[in-house]
């Protein structure tokens, strides 16, 4: 299969008599080297598609894929998911008043409550997501409208954000730089969702929702950093900057109770800043940790979802909340 | 009259077909078709007669008659006439012409033909300086055509097909993504990947393919000259092949985009965190694209030297290394605005569902191609496939005794030999050189007994020509 060593001089055999050209001395000097590389005789593997290789390969691939497929199908069927749409576009929906009455500069949030029933209990960790559809977080102008340097805590960028953030770069009234700048930060999702379990005897208990551990570790500890100074107080650190136009609170008041979750390293903010790939997406909102005892995390029964409806998006079609339980970890 | 004897059924006037050819059908061409002949003939014509034959009213007649012959010998011709004959064939036959010569009087002919070959040696370097290829002996022409020319054609075609394929796939994925990104020209890959893809990741393996690939080795190429015919028939790269290549890119890009789209649509990581974000999606698409292109290169290369292996696996390794480097913390701290994909590789590529998606897309893109090619080889094998199978079974070709190549009357490539020495006419007619007639060499044609300067039907000339080429 491989070309063995081959002498170029063999070809001279039957014609040696006729070469009366002379000048062979000159020709010998110009002859290229008789090495394997230059004469294209490198040892090589020459595979060929034969029936003996292709057909067994196809069968093997089929045999590998069938158990994978079965495994994936069984696993995905074990995942329980519950979706609640709280857009409120239809007349009968509880959040209809909220969706009708929003204005761009509304300061009072609107609260609406939806009741739902879980048929089956959810075991293990339950992840709560909010989802948006028809929200193009992958639009080019939107994706570019951020300043990673500022979000990494660079003090110069804090005071003069990059030009990409226009028109959300400086505040129109106070002419101060906006922190965090850009359209992505400006459109931060700030609906508040609360979950209450209605006990069989009628009392309502709030379900504890954990807000730590929802963002990537590298995002929270490497990519997003608060600006560092000799001042400890975040309010002092962000002095001289303005809040984004559509926010109610400035960035240093996102979570005043926990300094590790305040400012740029607020996990809800980080999760929102990680732009989605497709127009319909979901983002992790809260985690309901599994209970240490054997009781299920979310027992079956009636629940209420209280929504503090404050997103000011007027092009979004439907909102949905999904709870999810993974049976395998 | 000679022509009428050779082909009695043919029309009186040569039929010239006017057509349009070329890339956008802009070129106007005129073709004289090949005609069937009832035997094998040769034509000998000297410079004086050629001067009349090349005149406007007679040149098509000359061309028709000449093309009905196996061989045409024009002797005692001037350099200008040599060029005129070549141009006549070029213009009316729409074929590729090759001219080989060794003297300064061959220069015009060499330049007129599509491919000019100069012989360096006794007559000086004039022919060499104006030629496309040059070597020292006429018999090297066989190797030039059957081995190197053929390999060059195959390599070029494979290179072009692969290049178009990879670039069309890469670009069409953006096209499909545009439907989901509001047509905002958002790139679906990392900016660095956009730059590196064509320059680093896929440039070097295809270069190795274009330099080293062989379908059969040189001894088999010389033994089976029929392997040369796919090149003459334009089988490996034509408009049809290009369109097929584009179709295949369309299919590959659809698979490469929509399978990850479906996989990422509603997914999260196994600890609940986000994986359907733009950066992870981009990384997934990049990885599957790289792996599919490498697999494609794997099936395209017929001759795996160590260099090919190194370049292919090296490119994949370079992709992995560069990706992890550009997505690391260090570079982010130095240039935050350029390397903002930080952390994506670590968070996205440790998920099993990402690798399963990559595996699935790779197989879906490669298996149909493999199956199609396999079926084609089994059901409609080309001469290349047959020789490759034979070469694999037998190793080296056994040095066989001389076999005359099969005569196919329908496709005929007439060969031309020119002789220009003067002053030998008297010598020849005195028959003093007759015993040297048996010396078989192309260059010695001028000594053969071309005594009568008239067109003759002369059968034995062809056999001698074949002899000298073995």
């Amino acid at each position: 299969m491989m070309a063995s060593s081959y002498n170029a001089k063999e070809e001279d055999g039957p014609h040696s008599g006729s070469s009366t050209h002379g000048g062979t001395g000159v020709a010998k000097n110009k002859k290229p080297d008789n090495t394997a590389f230059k004469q294209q005789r490198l040892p090589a593997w020459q595979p060929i598609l034969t029936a003996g290789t292709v057909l067994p390969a196809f069968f093997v691939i089929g045999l590998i894929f069938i158990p994978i497929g079965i495994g994936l199908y069984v696993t995905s069927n074990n995942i329980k998911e519950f979706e609640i749409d709280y857009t409120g576009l239809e007349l009968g929906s509880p959040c209809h008043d909220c969706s009708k009455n929003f204005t761009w500069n509304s300061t009072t949030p609107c609260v609406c409550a939806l009741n739902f029933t879980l048929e089956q209990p959810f075991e293990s960790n339950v992840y709560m997501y909010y989802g948006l559809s028809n929200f193009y977080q992958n639009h080019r102008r939107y994706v570019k409208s951020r300043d990673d340097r500022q979000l990494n805590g660079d003090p110069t960028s804090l005071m003069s954000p990059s030009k990409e953030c226009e028109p959300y770069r400086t505040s129109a009234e106070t002419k101060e730089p906006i922190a965090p700048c850009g359209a992505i930060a400006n459109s931060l999702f700030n609906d508040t969702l609360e979950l209450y379990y209605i006990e069989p005897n009628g009392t309502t208990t709030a379900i504890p929702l954990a807000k730590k551990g929802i963002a990537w570790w590298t995002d929270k500890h490497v990519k997003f950093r608060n600006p560092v100074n000799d001042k400890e107080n975040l309010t002092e650190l962000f002095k001289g900057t303005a809040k984004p136009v559509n926010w109610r609170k400035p960035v240093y008041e996102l979570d005043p109770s926990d300094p590790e979750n305040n400012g740029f390293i607020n996990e809800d903010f980080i999760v929102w800043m990680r732009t989605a790939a497709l127009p319909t997406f979901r983002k992790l909102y809260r985690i309901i940790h599994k209970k240490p005892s054997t009781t299920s995390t979310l027992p079956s029964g009636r629940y209420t979802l209280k929504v503090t409806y404050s997103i000011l998006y007027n092009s979004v079609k439907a909102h949905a909340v999904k709870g999810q339980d993974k049976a395998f970890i | 009259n000679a022509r009428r004897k050779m082909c009695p059924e043919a029309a009186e006037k040569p039929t010239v077909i006017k057509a349009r050819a070329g890339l956008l059908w802009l070129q106007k061409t005129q073709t004289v078709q090949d005609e069937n002949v009832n035997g094998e003939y040769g034509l000998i014509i000297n410079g004086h007669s050629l001067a009349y034959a090349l005149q406007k009213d007679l040149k098509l007649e000359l061309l028709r008659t000449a093309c009905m012959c196996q061989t045409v010998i024009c002797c005692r011709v001037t350099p200008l006439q040599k060029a005129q004959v070549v141009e006549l064939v070029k213009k009316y036959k729409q074929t590729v012409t090759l001219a080989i010569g060794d003297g300064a009087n061959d220069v015009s002919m060499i330049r007129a033909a599509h491919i000019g070959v100069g012989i360096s040696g006794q007559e000086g370097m004039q022919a060499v300086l104006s030629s496309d290829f040059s070597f020292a002996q006429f018999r090297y022409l066989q190797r030039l055509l059957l081995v190197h020319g053929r390999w060059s054609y195959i390599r070029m075609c494979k290179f072009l097909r692969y290049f178009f394929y990879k670039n069309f796939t890469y670009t069409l994925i953006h096209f499909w993504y545009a439907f989901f990104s509001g047509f905002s020209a958002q790139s679906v890959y990392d900016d660095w990947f956009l730059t590196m893809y064509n320059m680093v990741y896929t440039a070097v393996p295809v270069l190795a393919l274009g330099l080293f690939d062989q379908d059969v080795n040189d001894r088999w190429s010389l033994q089976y000259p029929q392997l040369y015919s796919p090149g003459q028939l334009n089988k490996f790269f034509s408009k049809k092949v290009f369109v097929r290549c584009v179709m295949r890119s369309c299919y590959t890009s659809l698979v490469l985009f929509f399978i990850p789209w479906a996989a990422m649509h509603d997914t999260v990581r196994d600890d609940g965190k986000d994986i359907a974000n733009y950066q992870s999606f981009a990384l997934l698409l990049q990885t599957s694209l790289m792996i599919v292109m490498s697999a494609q290169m794997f099936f395209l290369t017929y001759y795996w030297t160590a260099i090919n292996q190194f370049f292919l696996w090296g490119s994949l390794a370079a992709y992995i290394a560069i990706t992890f480097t550009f997505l690391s913390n260090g570079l982010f701290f130095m240039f935050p605005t350029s390397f903002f994909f930080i952390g994506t590789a670590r968070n996205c590529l440790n998920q099993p569902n990402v690798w399963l998606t990559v595996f699935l897309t790779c197989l879906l893109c490669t298996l149909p191609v493999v199956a199609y090619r396999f079926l084609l080889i089994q059901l409609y094998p080309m001469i290349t496939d047959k020789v490759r199978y034979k070469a694999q079974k037998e190793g080296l070709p056994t040095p066989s005794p001389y076999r005359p190549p099969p005569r196919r009357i329908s496709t005929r490539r007439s060969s031309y030999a020119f002789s220009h020495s003067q002053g030998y006419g008297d010598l020849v007619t005195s028959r003093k050189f007759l015993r040297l007639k048996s010396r078989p060499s192309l260059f010695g044609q001028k000594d053969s007994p071309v005594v009568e300067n008239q067109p003759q039907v002369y059968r034995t000339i062809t056999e001698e020509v074949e002899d000298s080429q073995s």
Side-chain angles (χ1 to χ4, degrees):
Chain A
M1 205 190 294
M2 299 194 314
S4 65
S5 62
Y6 149 82
N7 199 346
K9 289 201 173 63
E10 280 175 25
E11 291 257 299
D12 282 336
H15 298 284
S16 48
S18 68
S19 47
T20 51
H21 298 292
T24 40
V26 178
K28 261 207 176 69
N29 289 341
K30 289 204 180 138
K31 215 170 172 177
D33 308 329
N34 193 11
T35 60
F37 179 72
K38 288 207 176 162
Q39 296 299 327
Q40 304 192 46
R41 293 193 305 263
L42 289 169
W45 171 53
Q46 289 175 301
I48 291 189
L49 289 177
T50 54
T53 45
V54 172
L55 294 173
F58 277 28
F59 279 123
V60 164
I61 288 172
L63 284 176
I64 292 176
F65 266 53
I66 291 174
I68 294 180
I70 294 176
L72 286 175
Y73 182 71
V74 165
T75 320
S76 74
N77 275 353
N78 282 341
I79 296 178
K80 298 193 194 76
E81 189 178 300
F82 192 84
E83 182 179 326
I84 307 163
D85 184 346
Y86 68 89
T87 323
L89 287 176
E90 309 84 27
L91 266 177
S93 131
C95 294
H96 181 67
D97 295 330
C98 285
S99 71
K100 245 186 1 161
N101 294 337
F102 74 79
T103 56
W104 204 228
N105 285 328
S106 156
T107 46
T108 51
C110 175
V111 182
C112 58
L114 293 105
N115 292 325
F116 64 95
T117 312
L118 279 184
E119 305 295 332
Q120 290 170 333
F122 278 22
E123 314 290 339
S124 186
N125 283 340
V126 177
Y127 300 96
M128 196 158 142
Y129 297 89
Y130 60 89
L132 296 170
S133 55
N134 233 19
F135 189 91
Y136 284 80
Q137 260 203 332
N138 55 6
H139 194 283
R140 184 170 172 75
R141 288 286 288 131
Y142 186 89
V143 169
K144 289 185 84 63
S145 178
R146 64 192 284 158
D147 187 359
D148 288 299
R149 227 182 255 266
Q150 189 191 60
L151 295 169
N152 198 29
D154 185 40
T156 31
S157 295
L158 185 69
M159 287 304 154
S160 70
S162 96
K163 298 264 184 314
E164 298 282 349
C165 287
E166 291 288 352
Y168 300 100
R169 191 168 167 265
T170 47
S171 160
E173 303 95 29
T174 59
K175 300 283 183 273
E176 281 176 333
I178 296 181
C181 77
I184 311 180
N186 186 48
S187 54
L188 176 68
F189 181 85
N190 49 10
D191 279 4
T192 322
L193 307 164
E194 285 152 9
L195 203 56
Y196 296 95
Y197 176 51
I198 303 176
E199 307 260 359
N201 59 12
T203 51
T204 324
T205 36
I207 296 180
L209 303 171
K211 55 182 153 180
K212 303 283 287 286
I214 56 176
W216 287 2
W217 190 95
T218 48
D219 274 357
K220 185 161 165 101
H221 293 96
V222 178
K223 191 167 181 188
F224 290 80
R225 298 265 88 211
N226 278 329
V228 175
N229 224 333
D230 47 355
K231 309 181 183 69
E232 286 287 332
N233 198 346
L234 268 183
T235 321
E236 292 289 319
L237 284 171
F238 283 102
K239 200 172 169 143
T241 63
K243 70 170 175 63
V245 176
N246 289 111
W247 283 23
R248 292 214 175 78
K249 301 179 281 192
V251 69
Y252 47 84
E253 282 175 25
L254 281 174
D255 190 3
S257 57
D258 184 1
E260 283 296 311
N261 202 26
N262 205 2
F264 287 149
I265 53 178
N266 176 268
E267 298 215 14
D268 286 314
F269 174 67
I270 294 175
V271 165
W272 181 255
M273 290 300 284
R274 183 150 281 284
T275 50
L278 301 168
T280 308
F281 59 90
R282 62 171 83 173
K283 288 191 181 293
L284 185 58
Y285 182 66
R286 294 284 184 263
I287 306 179
I288 307 170
H289 288 291
K290 58 176 181 259
K291 302 218 172 64
S293 55
T294 47
T295 50
S296 42
T297 320
L298 285 184
S300 52
R302 286 171 45 225
Y303 289 83
T304 306
L305 176 75
K306 238 172 73 175
V307 178
T308 314
Y309 201 109
S310 60
I311 337 175
L312 309 170
Y313 309 116
N314 50 8
S315 68
V316 183
K317 275 216 183 110
H319 297 41
V321 169
K322 301 174 210 233
Q324 198 173 59
D325 163 23
K326 301 241 177 173
F328 67 94
I329 288 200
Chain B
N1 344 9
R3 182 192 34 88
R4 278 192 217 107
K5 202 154 67 153
M6 286 195 279
C7 182
E9 307 92 38
E12 274 304 310
K13 282 194 81 60
T15 48
V16 178
I17 298 177
K18 293 203 167 122
R20 279 175 170 267
L23 186 57
L24 293 170
W25 289 278
L26 285 174
Q27 276 172 281
K28 289 196 206 160
T29 61
Q30 297 171 335
T31 320
V32 172
Q33 299 287 67
D34 283 339
E35 289 160 36
N36 289 329
V37 182
N38 58 0
E40 285 157 12
Y41 299 96
L43 174 67
I44 304 169
I45 185 167
N46 75 338
H48 293 293
S49 316
L50 200 60
Y52 293 109
L54 281 176
Q55 282 174 356
K56 242 179 155 182
D57 41 351
L58 275 183
K59 67 178 178 185
L60 283 181
E61 192 62 43
L62 167 71
L63 186 65
R64 276 181 87 203
T65 314
C67 289
M68 290 185 201
C69 304
Q70 295 276 350
T71 313
V72 173
I73 297 178
C74 310
C75 48
R76 313 275 193 275
V77 288
T78 64
L80 178 63
Q81 281 176 326
K82 292 185 192 177
Q84 280 175 333
V85 170
V86 171
E87 273 162 16
L88 180 69
V89 175
K90 245 172 82 167
K91 185 172 174 197
Y92 285 104
K93 294 302 279 188
Q94 300 307 316
T95 49
V96 178
T97 51
L98 181 149
I100 179 168
D102 62 345
N105 56 343
D106 298 321
V107 166
S108 49
M109 163 182 78
I110 286 174
R111 289 165 65 111
H114 287 114
I115 304 169
V117 180
I119 305 294
S120 63
Q122 213 168 10
E123 304 250 351
M125 301 296 282
Q126 281 301 316
V128 168
L129 291 173
S130 59
S131 61
D132 302 315
F133 299 96
S134 70
F135 33 74
Q137 299 185 20
F138 277 96
R139 60 190 172 84
Y140 294 156
L141 184 66
Q142 184 189 25
R143 216 177 144 80
L144 176 75
L145 290 181
L146 293 181
V147 176
H148 296 289
R150 206 175 59 78
W151 281 351
S152 177
Y153 176 68
I154 286 172
R155 287 166 184 166
M156 279 297 235
C157 292
K158 274 197 190 167
F159 176 88
L160 283 173
R161 275 185 359 230
Y162 180 76
F163 221 89
F164 279 120
Y165 172 72
K166 79 173 166 81
N167 274 314
F168 270 111
T169 309
Y170 168 75
T171 315
L172 280 172
I173 293 183
H174 280 108
F175 181 68
W176 306 129
Y177 188 60
F179 287 97
F180 295 91
S181 71
F183 294 98
S184 62
Q186 173 63 22
S187 147
V188 80
Y189 307 122
D190 183 8
D191 294 338
W192 288 105
F193 184 78
L194 284 176
T195 322
M196 297 279 191
Y197 178 71
N198 269 323
M199 279 180 37
V200 176
Y201 300 146
T202 50
V204 194
V206 74
L207 199 66
L209 175 79
L211 287 175
F212 296 111
D213 200 47
Q214 301 171 9
D215 55 346
V216 293
N217 76 352
D218 50 352
R219 303 187 86 170
W220 286 101
S221 307
L222 289 170
Q223 183 154 15
Y224 288 99
Q226 303 92 311
L227 287 167
Y228 196 67
S229 58
Q232 293 178 314
L233 301 170
N234 234 1
K235 282 241 168 96
F236 291 147
F237 197 80
S238 56
K239 288 197 199 82
K240 218 167 49 164
V241 170
F242 177 73
V243 169
R244 269 213 309 262
C245 176
V246 172
M247 293 286 112
R248 203 154 61 97
S249 300
C250 262
Y251 165 74
T252 309
S253 70
L254 279 170
V255 167
L256 271 175
F257 179 73
F258 281 104
I259 305 270
W261 170 83
M264 288 284 129
H265 194 217
D266 256 346
T267 320
V268 288
R269 283 163 44 118
D270 49 12
D271 56 0
K273 297 183 193 168
D274 197 6
I275 201 177
N277 60 88
Y278 166 72
Q279 293 178 351
S280 302
F281 188 62
L283 190 63
L284 169 63
L285 277 180
Q286 278 165 224
T287 312
S288 28
L289 178 67
M290 276 305 301
I291 293 184
V292 166
M293 288 302 137
S294 304
Q296 192 58 42
M297 174 61 78
F298 181 82
F299 286 108
L300 203 61
T301 312
Y302 280 174
Y303 195 76
W304 280 93
T305 60
I307 302 180
N308 287 70
Q309 304 260 16
F310 173 65
F311 281 164
L312 185 63
W313 308 122
S315 292
L316 266 181
Y319 167 70
I320 294 173
I322 293 179
T323 305
F324 272 90
T325 313
F326 281 9
L327 269 52
S328 67
N329 295 2
L331 275 174
F332 175 70
F333 287 134
M334 287 196 277
F335 307 102
T337 39
S338 306
F339 294 99
F340 48 85
F341 264 61
I342 166 140
T344 314
R346 278 167 279 173
N347 284 299
C348 165
L349 292 180
N350 65 357
Q351 297 295 307
N353 64 348
V354 165
W355 289 108
L356 281 175
T357 314
V358 170
F359 189 35
L360 179 67
T361 48
C362 181
L363 279 175
L364 274 180
C365 290
T366 344
L367 282 184
V369 175
V370 171
Y372 174 71
R373 201 175 288 171
F374 169 68
L375 283 175
L376 213 61
I377 291 178
Q378 296 297 321
L379 298 176
Y380 303 104
M382 284 179 64
I383 180 73
T384 322
D385 305 316
K386 292 186 203 163
V387 178
R388 285 189 78 214
Y389 270 92
K390 192 145 190 242
Q392 193 198 27
K393 270 198 297 208
E394 294 176 20
L396 281 177
T398 47
S400 56
Y402 166 69
R403 288 173 295 127
R407 304 278 167 96
R408 274 180 285 158
I409 309 289
S410 52
T411 58
R412 193 178 311 115
R413 290 288 179 266
S414 313
S415 53
Y416 297 73
F418 291 94
S419 151
H420 61 275
S421 292
Q422 296 172 18
Y424 282 69
D426 299 331
L427 230 45
V428 168
T429 45
S430 68
R431 296 188 187 245
K432 276 197 190 153
F433 278 62
L434 267 182
R435 74 189 108 101
L436 292 175
K437 196 170 40 171
S438 59
R439 189 167 57 152
S441 79
L442 245 175
F443 200 73
Q445 282 300 335
K446 61 183 174 192
D447 294 327
S448 65
V450 180
V451 282
E452 274 80 32
N453 295 339
Q454 303 156 12
Q456 280 186 28
V457 175
Y458 204 118
R459 235 193 124 88
T460 51
I461 289 284
T462 53
E463 307 254 20
E464 267 183 279
V465 170
E466 299 302 339
D467 257 334
S468 67
Q469 280 182 345
S470 69

